[in-house]
Amino acid sequence: MKNFKKVYIEITSVCNLACTFCPPTERGKSFIKVEDFAKRLDEIKPHTDYIYLHVKGEPLLHPKIDELLDISHEKGFKVNITTNGTLIAKNRHKLLGKPALRQMNFSLHSFDGHIGSTDREGYLREILSFVREAQEHQVIFSFRLWNLTQDNATNIQKSRNRQTLEVIEKEFGLDFRIEEKVVAGSGVKIDDRVYLNQDYEFQWPSLTAPEDDGKGFCHGLRTQAAILENGTVVPCCLDGEGVINLGNINQTSFTDIVDGERANNLIEGFSRREAVEELCRRCGYRQRFGA
């Protein structure tokens, strides 16, 4: 029986933004039904206690996000949500006080990534207001600025990030500039259960991307797996199009899928430090784990 640190369950393929760093899905736009969500939790229960309501799409668009959190709690899961944060004010009553909610990650880089974004301070104030209230419920928060470049970001992006960080620094009364303490790829604690993480922008893997020699390692199917809204099971949260289709949970049990021939070939390949799947050979993120 394979155990995972986390399983991603995509609850919608729809997003309310069009960020330059996130290619739109070519799959149909849809939302998971409550009863299907409950069934998927039963399927993965022997494999993990932690779920992430994200692959593609914006999870706070789901009209029954509160019901999904309640079901998660009933079935013993801890939930992590990654959101662009634009809908937090509208959904705060659906999130506050939910015992299943363990962590929320706010992708603050989406503000500058979405062409046409306005009122940076208003956007941040709504997020910070929610965080302040939800801190009482022991939720962990991570502010993400994943927009650095290898030359430590352009001057324009540095200036934009500084505007964002300044609002956060003032809110938490910090006596230091965040970018002076945070290291790319890691985070800095800015308050009780509140962290900020900066990292380099990464390219989503694609069959049109350059293919490398396939050497290296990945944690896909070792520490994580993902289920797209349509039921397709994939090795990781970066296969947003279901290219590495391991099977569909609507036809085959999750246990059988992750122990299937294609899944095991992928795992065994990475044990040899070899990417056997074409998409993996075209995934720059894999290179972060070294050869």
Side-chain angles (χ1 to χ4, degrees), residues 83-203:
T83 172
N84 58 44
T86 58
L87 303 173
I88 195 63
K90 180 180 179 181
N91 286 279
R92 63 189 300 149
H93 65 289
K94 295 183 178 182
L95 301 171
L96 286 171
K98 294 296 185 183
L101 187 58
R102 172 186 174 271
Q103 180 170 333
M104 289 195 70
N105 306 312
F106 289 97
S107 299
L108 302 185
H109 48 277
S110 62
F111 182 87
D112 292 315
H114 176 72
I115 298 174
S117 293
T118 59
D119 191 13
R120 182 189 308 272
E121 184 155 350
Y123 161 73
L124 293 170
R125 286 296 169 199
E126 287 189 344
I127 292 174
L128 291 170
S129 173
F130 173 81
V131 168
R132 284 303 205 184
E133 191 168 356
Q135 272 184 289
E136 302 175 3
H137 301 282
Q138 308 299 306
V139 180
I140 300 168
F141 294 98
S142 174
F143 300 135
R144 294 177 172 178
L145 276 176
W146 290 1
N147 56 12
L148 300 181
T149 59
Q150 293 300 325
D151 60 358
N152 202 26
T154 64
N155 289 331
I156 293 176
Q157 191 55 59
K158 282 183 180 180
S159 176
R160 291 170 175 168
N161 285 351
R162 174 93 295 271
Q163 295 174 49
T164 294
L165 296 174
E166 186 173 334
V167 174
I168 296 173
E169 288 163 1
K170 287 182 178 179
E171 172 65 29
F172 293 99
L174 303 184
D175 59 0
F176 60 88
R177 288 166 68 97
I178 292 173
E179 63 264 63
E180 294 174 355
K181 291 204 173 186
V182 70
V183 176
S186 63
V188 58
K189 185 175 183 178
I190 58 177
D191 201 48
D192 185 33
R193 296 184 300 281
V194 181
Y195 303 84
L196 187 135
N197 179 282
Q198 282 199 277
D199 208 342
Y200 296 106
E201 181 178 332
F202 70 89
Q203 299 295 317

Side-chain angles (χ1 to χ4, degrees), residues 12-287:
T12 179
S13 58
V14 182
C15 190
N16 61 324
L17 299 184
C19 296
T20 56
F21 56 79
C22 185
T25 180
E26 297 177 3
R27 294 179 286 120
K29 296 181 178 181
S30 53
F31 295 82
I32 196 170
K33 295 179 181 178
V34 173
E35 56 268 28
D36 289 337
F37 180 78
K39 290 178 183 177
R40 290 177 192 183
L41 292 190
D42 290 337
E43 288 272 348
I44 69 171
K45 185 57 184 174
H47 301 271
T48 191
D49 293 322
Y50 295 90
I51 57 175
Y52 285 61
L53 303 186
H54 183 68
V55 176
K56 285 293 190 74
E58 167 52 51
L60 297 191
L61 275 174
H62 199 291
K64 297 183 178 180
I65 184 70
D66 50 344
E67 292 185 39
L68 303 187
L69 287 170
D70 289 339
I71 292 171
S72 299
H73 176 61
E74 291 170 7
K75 294 183 181 293
F77 287 93
K78 290 297 183 181
V79 178
N80 298 264
I81 295 177
T82 297
T83 172
N84 58 44
T86 58
L87 303 173
I88 195 63
K90 180 180 179 181
N91 286 279
R92 63 189 300 149
H93 65 289
K94 295 183 178 182
L95 301 171
L96 286 171
K98 294 296 185 183
L101 187 58
R102 172 186 174 271
Q103 180 170 333
M104 289 195 70
N105 306 312
F106 289 97
S107 299
L108 302 185
H109 48 277
S110 62
F111 182 87
D112 292 315
H114 176 72
I115 298 174
S117 293
T118 59
D119 191 13
R120 182 189 308 272
E121 184 155 350
Y123 161 73
L124 293 170
R125 286 296 169 199
E126 287 189 344
I127 292 174
L128 291 170
S129 173
F130 173 81
V131 168
R132 284 303 205 184
E133 191 168 356
Q135 272 184 289
E136 302 175 3
H137 301 282
Q138 308 299 306
V139 180
I140 300 168
F141 294 98
S142 174
F143 300 135
R144 294 177 172 178
L145 276 176
W146 290 1
N147 56 12
L148 300 181
T149 59
Q150 293 300 325
D151 60 358
N152 202 26
T154 64
N155 289 331
I156 293 176
Q157 191 55 59
K158 282 183 180 180
S159 176
R160 291 170 175 168
N161 285 351
R162 174 93 295 271
Q163 295 174 49
T164 294
L165 296 174
E166 186 173 334
V167 174
I168 296 173
E169 288 163 1
K170 287 182 178 179
E171 172 65 29
F172 293 99
L174 303 184
D175 59 0
F176 60 88
R177 288 166 68 97
I178 292 173
E179 63 264 63
E180 294 174 355
K181 291 204 173 186
V182 70
V183 176
S186 63
V188 58
K189 185 175 183 178
I190 58 177
D191 201 48
D192 185 33
R193 296 184 300 281
V194 181
Y195 303 84
L196 187 135
N197 179 282
Q198 282 199 277
D199 208 342
Y200 296 106
E201 181 178 332
F202 70 89
Q203 299 295 317
W204 284 79
S206 167
L207 292 179
T208 61
E211 185 173 357
D212 61 27
D213 61 7
K215 301 299 182 183
F217 181 77
C218 181
H219 293 282
L221 284 182
R222 290 179 185 271
T223 64
Q224 65 170 276
I227 308 171
L228 304 183
E229 191 283 330
N230 61 14
T232 299
V233 177
V234 292
C236 73
C237 62
L238 295 183
D239 187 1
E241 295 304 308
V243 174
I244 307 176
N245 185 343
L246 302 175
N248 193 289
I249 202 169
N250 296 320
Q251 284 88 44
T252 309
S253 74
F254 183 78
T255 299
D256 288 344
I257 291 173
V258 297
D259 198 32
E261 181 179 4
R262 189 172 186 180
N264 284 325
N265 285 342
L266 185 148
I267 295 170
E268 291 166 5
F270 280 125
S271 293
R272 303 188 303 268
R273 299 300 190 267
E274 175 188 345
V276 299
E277 291 282 350
E278 181 182 359
L279 186 69
C280 298
R281 296 193 296 272
R282 298 176 185 271
C283 178
Y285 198 83
R286 189 193 83 247
Q287 298 168 0

